[in-house]
Amino acid sequence: MSDSEDHHFESKADAGASKTYPMQAGAIRKGGFLVIKNRPCKVVEVSTSKTGKHGHAKCHFVALDIFNGKKLEDIVPSSHNCDVPHVDRTEYQLIDISEDGFVSLLTDNGSTKDDLKLPTDDAILTQLKDGFAEGKDLALTVMSAMGEEQICAVKDVGPR
């Protein structure tokens, strides 16, 4: 191969950071996060059974999907590993609400983020639209996990 050749690699891969990390089932507590049926969930109830005839104590998890609120359950031996999602909360300033249901947000470094849809939660949606119509300065909290993002809170930071 000569040095004059140009090589173009088109890659759709990310930096290699995993969307989840392993954690022992017995160490996951109420209020923690867990992946059930490939969905990031927040644990609302944990119960542990005693070791049985075949030797494993089992953890019974009841959890709510953090994006759509659906209730999911899972039973895992307490010594086994479970996937725990990396959950991030980021705050952005609202710039605009477009006609097609997307919001335009200002990031910390001054660029804009235009790929987020309006929230499906009615309480947050009305708070967002009313505050924007009144000309208030709104800060939106965006929760992201496993490649999904959603607006989860609206905060009024005062008039413009």
Side-chain angles (χ1 to χ4, degrees):
M1 280 209 212
S2 67
D3 292 333
S4 63
E5 290 180 38
D6 284 332
H7 296 286
H8 296 287
F9 296 103
E10 300 218 5
S11 172
K12 302 267 188 274
D14 55 8
S18 176
K19 293 175 171 60
T20 62
Y21 60 94
M23 187 177 199
Q24 199 167 349
I28 297 171
R29 300 280 169 245
K30 182 179 171 180
F33 295 100
L34 175 69
V35 176
I36 301 177
K37 294 181 185 153
N38 263 344
R39 299 293 303 156
C41 302
K42 185 173 183 132
V43 179
V44 290
E45 192 181 314
V46 181
S47 56
T48 310
S49 67
K50 295 227 175 358
T51 52
K53 189 163 73 174
H54 299 289
H56 285 291
K58 298 231 178 359
C59 293
H60 176 242
F61 296 107
V62 178
L64 298 175
D65 188 310
I66 59 176
F67 294 119
N68 62 26
K70 281 195 180 130
K71 186 176 176 182
L72 296 164
E73 294 187 45
D74 201 7
I75 297 174
V76 184
S78 62
S79 58
H80 287 204
N81 280 348
C82 291
D83 284 334
V84 177
H86 289 284
V87 179
D88 287 324
R89 286 173 183 263
T90 319
E91 209 165 82
Y92 299 105
Q93 189 173 341
L94 178 67
I95 301 171
D96 190 23
I97 300 174
S98 66
E99 301 295 316
D100 56 357
F102 283 85
V103 291
S104 184
L105 305 170
L106 184 66
T107 62
D108 286 341
N109 63 11
S111 62
T112 59
K113 180 174 179 57
D114 303 308
D115 59 350
L116 262 175
K117 280 191 166 183
L118 284 167
T120 49
D121 187 303
D122 291 334
I124 296 173
L125 185 62
T126 51
Q127 187 184 356
L128 180 82
K129 284 188 169 176
D130 293 350
F132 186 72
E134 292 167 21
K136 291 180 182 171
D137 233 351
L138 298 175
L140 306 185
T141 305
V142 176
M143 187 163 30
S144 61
M146 296 179 68
E148 283 185 64
E149 291 183 310
Q150 186 177 326
I151 298 166
C152 61
V154 178
K155 194 165 63 178
D156 185 4
V157 289
R160 285 193 186 161

